[in-house]
């Protein structure tokens, strides 16, 4: 990755960390999942409003490093309007990206999420980046059961 691109990605991550999108909580009926990463102390709560097998809105609250909170901000933006299966498929693509695997960037517009691809170079930080995504997947799987 070029240093200019690296700098741009860092700026995008810091923007989501300092100005999180969808931070907060819903009142009423939501799919709610709490998860933590005991390795570094990240804690996240994901809430999703689901109607007709689709994520109509999503929010998060939590504490943690810039990567975990920026990732939660990006994820809540990205899954709004997706069918539950699409949100899980996007999460699988994100996991592949975090593991440094080839990933399908044609299916979804990943937008700011691609700024996190550099995390793959730091294995200890992958759990930080994937925490919110794993919480979202758990919520969707619980919703289906």
């Amino acid at each position: 990755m070029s240093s200019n691109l690296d700098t741009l990605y860092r700026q995008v991550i810091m923007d989501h960390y300092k100005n999180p999108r969808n931070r907060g909580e819903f009142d009423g009926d939501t799919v709610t999942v709490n998860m933590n990463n005991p390795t570094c102390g990240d804690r996240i709560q994901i809430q999703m409003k689901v109607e007709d097998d689709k994520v109509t809105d999503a929010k998060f609250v939590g504490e943690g490093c810039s990567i975990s909170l920026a990732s939660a901000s990006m994820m809540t933006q990205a899954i709004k309007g997706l069918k539950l299966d699409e949100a899980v498929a996007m999460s699988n693509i994100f996991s592949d990206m975090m593991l440094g695997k080839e990933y399908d960037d044609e299916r979804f517009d990943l937008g700011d999420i691609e700024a996190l691809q550099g995390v793959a170079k730091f294995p200890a930080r992958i759990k930080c980046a994937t925490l919110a995504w794993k919480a979202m997947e758990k919520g969707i799987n619980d919703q289906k059961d």
Side-chain angles (χ1 to χ4, degrees), residues 4 14 19 30 47 77 105:
N4 286 346
M14 289 311 293
N19 307 296
T30 62
Q47 288 186 310
Q77 286 285 95
D105 59 358

Side-chain angles (χ1 to χ4, degrees), residues 117-138:
Q117 65 184 274
V119 172
K121 293 185 236 167
F122 306 97
R125 304 306 300 273
I126 292 171
K127 285 185 179 176
C128 303
T130 58
L131 184 63
W133 295 84
K134 296 295 181 200
M136 176 265 292
E137 278 187 46
K138 182 180 184 327

Side-chain angles (χ1 to χ4, degrees), residues 16 19-22 60 68-78:
H16 275 272
N19 307 296
R21 283 56 150 189
N22 308 306
F60 78 97
S68 69
L69 296 179
S71 185
S73 173
M74 293 174 192
M75 185 273 298
T76 55
Q77 286 285 95

Side-chain angles (χ1 to χ4, degrees), residues 58-103:
K59 289 190 179 216
F60 78 97
V61 292
E63 297 173 356
C65 67
S66 59
I67 291 171
S68 69
L69 296 179
S71 185
S73 173
M74 293 174 192
M75 185 273 298
T76 55
Q77 286 285 95
I79 65 169
K80 286 183 189 180
L82 294 182
K83 292 184 181 294
L84 298 181
D85 290 342
E86 291 172 328
V88 171
M90 182 181 271
S91 185
N92 291 332
I93 289 168
F94 182 74
S95 290
D96 286 346
M97 185 174 77
M98 288 298 96
L99 296 173
K101 296 180 181 177
E102 291 292 315
Y103 60 93

